[in-house]
Amino acid sequence: MIRSLAVLTSGGDAPGMNAAVRAVVRRALDCGVPVHGVFNGYEGLVAGGDSIRLLGWQDVGGILPRGGTFLGTARSERFRLPEGRRAAVANLVERGIGALVVIGGDGSLMGAHVLASEWPEHLASLGLEEAPEALQVIGLPGSIDNDLFGTDMSIGADTALNHIVQAIDDLSSTAASHQRTFVLETMGRHCGYLALMGSLAGGASWVLVPEEELELRWHQKMVRSLRKSREIGRPHQMVVVAEGARHPDGLPIRAEEIRRILCEQLAIDVRITVLGHVQRGGSPTAFDRILATRLGVAAVDLLVKEPPGKLRHMLGLQKNRVTATPLAEVVEQSRRVAQEIENGSYGKAQELRGESFTRGLELVKTLSRIEPAEKSQGEGGVGILTGGADAPGMNTAVSVAARCLLNQGIAVYGVLESFPGLIHGRLRELGWNELTGWLNRPSSELGTLRHDVREEDLAKIAENISRHGLKGLIVIGGLGSYLNVARMVENRRRFPELDIPIVVLPATIDNNLPCTEFTIGADTALNNVIQVLDKIRHTAGATRRAFVVEVMGRRSGFLALLGALASGAEKAYLPELGIRLRDLSRDVDMLQESFRSGKRMVIFLRNEEASRHYTTDFIRRLLEEESRDEFEVRTAILGHLQRGGAPSAFDRILASRMGAFAAFSLADAMEQKYTGVRVLGLQGRGIGAFDLHEALAEMDEGLTRPKNPWFLELLPVAEALAKHGPGATV
Ligand code: ADP
């Protein structure tokens, strides 16, 4: 086992780096391995002295919500030279450090690779034959650009994307008020990920990314499209350009150029917003905190497990699993995209980015079409309804699904107020223009309502399907909606009108549905939860306080567990595990110990259905009784604020991808006269379609949650990090 390790952050800073450092430090201490923090990246490693310091459990307390990196980061010219790296080796050996965790972009990972490769020769020239033969190196992807091979997402990208989406929302409202057009420049020198996904989630009219080969007269096409868009009364236009976008001849496209073209050709008021460093800043999102924490813990676990000298890898998250890729491969493949763009091989560059990038680009183009296709399918169309409790992102799914259908000449009817709307015939035809404004709206514009379809409803539903000529149905909702659809399908023999293709999209903040790792709405709810928890943590003042916070989720512990992981809460009570008396007794001991060791605030998260009798109020009273006036106890029931607000970038992208998938597969089914019922799910990176009954068979007996929810594997991670270490603060 390694005797000691060091951790550093390098290159451009990224939100979530702190979470990664915290995870590395605490997991290492938990495993009995001392950890050194290297301040200011490789510069600190070269400088040595006070720049390399042992870190304790407490040193990484309170840093989860903070942007940037508390270790500091730098670009080091000295480290680029062999002499600088030799000094770094000497500094590591002097402290008995045999392993290094580097969090940064491709440059930083390259640096780590070079250092590990040169280790033996530096040892020889320093006369340090006693030192470990090899340096173990683990890289973690820290880059807001999301431009690294070997991971689906890099630490910081989700936060940056949310900043962009927020900026597009804000600019859209002012643009609409002034009939103004905006050009928004995002970061991404060689990578269009932020611009592309920002455009998809924000509803841009035109997007320019480095990976796409533009036509010679691309600007004429853009001008035509924006002119048409104004003519038909779209309230605003937005062009999103990645800083690395290029003309067909390879020269950079500047935002100012686009502004000038639009001003001259359209005689309109065009403003530029360059987002710049705002994208890097601010508190990390739940996704980034969890990603960073998972990777940080996995890095230490690997270092502890592997025999010395074996590791020179980057850990990433691929298909929602932690994977290790050799650093050399990560650096080479990541740089290949930039190289291909430089050589003008755009097709290859896009191929390297993966299928979802190309699909995303196609989808943005489909959605920025000015006019839907002429209706070609005769009378009737597709119905869309949002069922059960509302979830952020439902509107995005409706907007995208409906526009993809309209684009194929298929009319779309919005069913108002869920299944009761279908029963009572409250349907209205949806138009393209109104749908473009729905992308970012909270809740559901169509309305939601909980209702279990009953025997007497079936004939009325059949009648309305027939009256409106519905040839297909898209249902967006939670488990109640799944069951309602199942009921309709079971009765198809008696009511042949129900024999139409149906696609069901998982949408609930509870994340408790089968065949999908994430449901639409869960990410927004999780972010809502951690934002409140961050605030609660700052309310202790001079007193010691324990908070029992109740979160939603019904019989699924997703929000409670991931909320605890992302906020650093000390405990999560989950319905999957229930609450036992002996746990409570242990938790009371833990609480007292925490306060004794200097903590000022302890947060227990309790899922609303974690236990029938050990309620939130029961736990409050229990803790109060046991506090012996040493600390105060408060409760907070987060309630509906969890489902409020505009959907997060992740939810909008998930809803857009699922909406498009639903529309295309439904159109296909209608053409093939196939009347199956499919349930959509996100597994790994891909959206898949599953049989409804097979999906329901994946639920546990009481139909309360999937049998083996993937997120329970994060339980040990949450527990290890929340432990109160010696004299801990979170
Ligand atoms: P990022 O990690 O965000 O891509 P940089 O490319 O600036 O940022 O790299 C960060 C640091 O990593 C550099 O300042 C340098 O110290 C080190 N580094 C980058 N490339 C190399 C290399 N080829 N050899 C040694 N060190 C390197």
Side-chain angles (χ1 to χ4, degrees):
M1 192 168 98
I2 44 165
R3 281 196 300 148
S4 178
L5 70 83
V7 56
L8 63 84
T9 51
S10 166
D13 64 318
M17 280 181 160
N18 278 330
V21 174
R22 172 182 178 269
V24 169
V25 169
R26 291 202 169 170
R27 184 57 151 189
L29 293 178
D30 205 30
C31 297
V33 178
V35 203
H36 294 79
V38 181
F39 288 78
N40 298 324
Y42 290 126
E43 194 59 25
L45 203 59
V46 175
D50 208 24
S51 300
I52 308 177
R53 300 201 281 272
L54 274 172
L55 294 177
W57 194 275
Q58 220 163 351
D59 293 319
V60 290
I63 63 171
L64 259 183
R66 287 203 220 140
T69 156
F70 89 104
L71 285 179
T73 175
R75 297 211 148 92
S76 170
E77 286 314 310
R78 286 200 286 170
F79 189 77
R80 286 185 185 273
L81 305 171
E83 302 81 68
R85 295 195 288 275
R86 192 172 311 134
V89 170
N91 285 326
L92 290 168
V93 174
E94 191 187 314
R95 291 162 180 80
I97 299 167
L100 183 65
V101 178
V102 172
I103 308 159
D106 66 339
S108 307
L109 300 181
M110 181 66 187
H113 177 69
V114 171
L115 184 69
S117 314
E118 293 177 351
W119 181 264
E121 61 189 80
H122 288 311
L123 286 188
S125 68
L126 288 163
L128 295 168
E129 278 80 12
E130 302 289 287
E133 275 171 36
L135 177 72
Q136 304 268 66
V137 174
I138 296 276
L140 302 183
S143 155
I144 64 161
D145 291 347
N146 205 27
D147 56 354
L148 289 165
F149 179 83
T151 190
D152 293 343
M153 283 295 270
S154 53
I155 297 166
D158 185 65
T159 307
L161 194 54
N162 275 287
H163 282 304
I164 292 169
V165 168
Q166 173 77 51
I168 296 181
D169 284 358
D170 294 348
L171 290 174
S172 299
S173 57
T174 150
S177 316
H178 288 276
Q179 276 281 312
R180 202 169 261 163
T181 296
F182 273 93
V183 178
L184 182 77
E185 185 184 293
T186 68
M187 281 187 166
R189 270 173 301 157
H190 307 292
C191 184
Y193 176 86
L194 291 177
L196 175 60
M197 292 303 164
S199 297
L200 184 59
S205 332
W206 204 261
V207 64
L208 296 158
V209 292
E211 293 88 342
E212 190 185 21
E213 177 162 27
L214 299 178
E215 292 168 20
L216 204 56
R217 300 186 188 285
W218 62 270
H219 40 88
Q220 291 182 346
K221 238 171 132 178
M222 175 185 74
V223 166
R224 260 200 312 276
S225 168
L226 265 67
R227 176 179 291 130
K228 195 81 188 272
S229 163
R230 289 176 70 81
E231 278 168 14
I232 62 170
R234 293 272 168 81
H236 61 84
Q237 286 78 33
M238 175 98 47
V239 176
V240 175
V241 54
E243 60 181 342
R246 288 150 185 256
H247 287 285
D249 61 7
L251 288 173
I253 300 177
R254 301 271 168 241
E256 175 54 32
E257 252 178 287
I258 303 174
R259 191 192 71 81
R260 198 172 33 77
I261 294 170
L262 295 177
C263 280
E264 281 171 10
Q265 310 258 334
L266 296 172
I268 54 172
D269 185 12
V270 183
R271 301 291 164 100
I272 294 176
T273 298
V274 179
L275 280 185
H277 283 73
V278 163
Q279 291 161 94
R280 282 194 192 288
S283 183
T285 56
F287 185 97
D288 274 331
R289 296 185 199 187
I290 291 164
L291 171 67
T293 303
R294 286 176 79 179
L295 296 182
V297 167
V300 174
D301 288 349
L302 210 58
L303 287 170
V304 169
K305 210 174 64 192
E306 283 292 310
K310 291 272 180 210
L311 290 171
R312 217 179 282 175
H313 289 76
M314 184 196 82
L315 296 189
L317 198 70
Q318 292 181 297
K319 300 184 173 174
N320 203 20
R321 294 279 171 278
V322 177
T323 55
T325 313
L327 281 174
E329 195 182 337
V330 171
V331 174
E332 193 193 312
Q333 295 285 40
S334 304
R335 295 191 168 171
R336 247 185 79 198
V337 182
Q339 206 57 53
E340 298 294 0
I341 294 172
E342 201 56 52
N343 298 340
S345 312
Y346 297 94
K348 280 206 189 120
Q350 259 189 55
E351 205 177 295
L352 286 166
R353 287 272 178 254
E355 206 186 318
S356 60
F357 189 92
T358 309
R359 287 232 182 116
L361 197 54
E362 278 166 18
L363 187 54
V364 171
K365 290 180 181 172
T366 303
L367 296 175
S368 58
R369 282 243 183 106
I370 293 309
E371 284 164 314
E374 289 290 308
K375 277 186 201 164
S376 62
Q377 306 265 330
E379 288 302 295
V382 164
I384 301 190
L385 73 79
T386 51
D390 57 333
M394 279 180 158
N395 283 323
T396 318
V398 173
S399 170
V400 172
R403 283 186 286 156
C404 289
L405 287 163
L406 290 172
N407 248 331
Q408 296 172 81
I410 300 169
V412 182
Y413 295 89
V415 181
L416 308 180
E417 275 151 22
S418 182
F419 287 91
L422 199 55
I423 296 163
H424 302 295
R426 289 197 294 270
L427 284 82
R428 101 177 147 75
E429 194 167 352
L430 299 177
W432 182 280
N433 265 3
E434 70 173 322
L435 288 164
T436 55
W438 287 16
L439 270 186
N440 60 5
R441 300 226 184 126
S443 190
S444 165
E445 291 287 310
L446 293 175
T448 55
L449 211 58
R450 282 188 209 269
H451 176 84
D452 295 332
V453 168
R454 292 179 296 242
E455 172 60 30
E456 62 268 30
D457 299 331
L458 292 166
K460 293 184 193 157
I461 292 177
E463 192 188 316
N464 282 314
I465 286 178
S466 156
R467 180 178 310 147
H468 288 88
L470 298 187
K471 295 178 183 141
L473 196 60
I474 293 177
V475 174
I476 303 163
L479 191 61
S481 301
Y482 283 48
L483 296 175
N484 281 344
V485 171
R487 168 150 277 208
M488 283 163 56
V489 173
E490 279 158 21
N491 289 285
R492 280 177 163 180
R493 277 228 194 100
R494 286 194 295 141
F495 301 99
E497 296 86 346
L498 302 180
D499 201 16
I500 54 173
I502 304 176
V503 183
V504 190
L505 275 64
T508 160
I509 65 162
D510 302 333
N511 204 25
N512 62 346
L513 294 173
C515 300
T516 193
E517 284 161 355
F518 291 93
T519 55
I520 296 167
D523 181 68
T524 310
L526 192 56
N527 278 298
N528 288 340
V529 168
I530 67 160
Q531 278 163 19
V532 177
L533 292 176
D534 288 350
K535 288 185 184 128
I536 284 180
R537 208 168 267 294
H538 290 117
T539 60
T543 51
R544 291 171 172 163
R545 204 169 270 173
F547 251 96
V548 187
V549 179
E550 184 181 300
V551 296
M552 285 180 163
R554 304 176 86 180
R555 304 279 298 149
S556 157
F558 176 83
L559 286 178
L561 179 57
L562 275 80
L565 200 58
S567 69
E570 281 71 6
K571 176 82 197 178
Y573 294 113
L574 310 179
E576 288 85 353
L577 305 180
I579 305 178
R580 305 262 63 90
L581 192 57
R582 59 176 178 275
D583 297 335
L584 289 173
S585 165
R586 250 199 312 259
D587 295 341
V588 167
D589 291 344
M590 181 264 271
L591 195 66
Q592 284 162 339
E593 188 56 36
S594 298
F595 286 125
R596 244 172 256 140
S597 66
K599 268 199 184 190
R600 299 271 281 275
M601 166 73 82
V602 174
I603 297 181
F604 286 4
L605 279 191
R606 181 185 171 280
N607 159 285
E608 59 187 351
E609 294 185 24
S611 158
R612 196 140 60 98
H613 296 293
Y614 298 143
T615 60
T616 301
D617 193 52
F618 175 91
I619 296 176
R620 176 188 65 78
R621 284 185 282 127
L622 175 80
L623 297 183
E624 222 158 56
E625 186 67 31
E626 297 291 329
S627 76
R628 293 177 213 131
D629 293 331
E630 283 174 25
F631 54 87
E632 289 178 353
V633 187
R634 296 277 185 275
T635 53
I637 296 176
L638 301 192
H640 277 68
L641 76 78
Q642 291 162 90
R643 52 172 97 256
S648 65
F650 181 97
D651 276 333
R652 292 192 208 184
I653 292 165
L654 179 61
S656 301
R657 291 176 67 196
M658 286 192 170
F661 193 110
F664 291 115
S665 62
L666 199 63
D668 236 24
M670 283 156 57
E671 203 174 303
Q672 316 271 333
K673 307 268 181 261
Y674 167 75
T675 59
V677 178
R678 312 299 265 169
V679 171
L680 300 193
L682 175 72
Q683 295 189 352
R685 280 186 96 169
I687 309 283
F690 307 87
D691 177 81
L692 173 67
H693 288 97
E694 278 170 27
L696 288 175
E698 256 196 34
M699 299 294 281
D700 73 5
E701 275 173 39
L703 283 176
T704 53
R705 57 176 168 253
K707 278 177 192 148
N708 298 307
W710 67 270
F711 55 82
L712 287 187
E713 71 191 41
L714 301 182
L715 196 59
V717 178
E719 280 173 353
L721 297 189
K723 262 192 215 167
H724 74 100
T729 54
V730 169

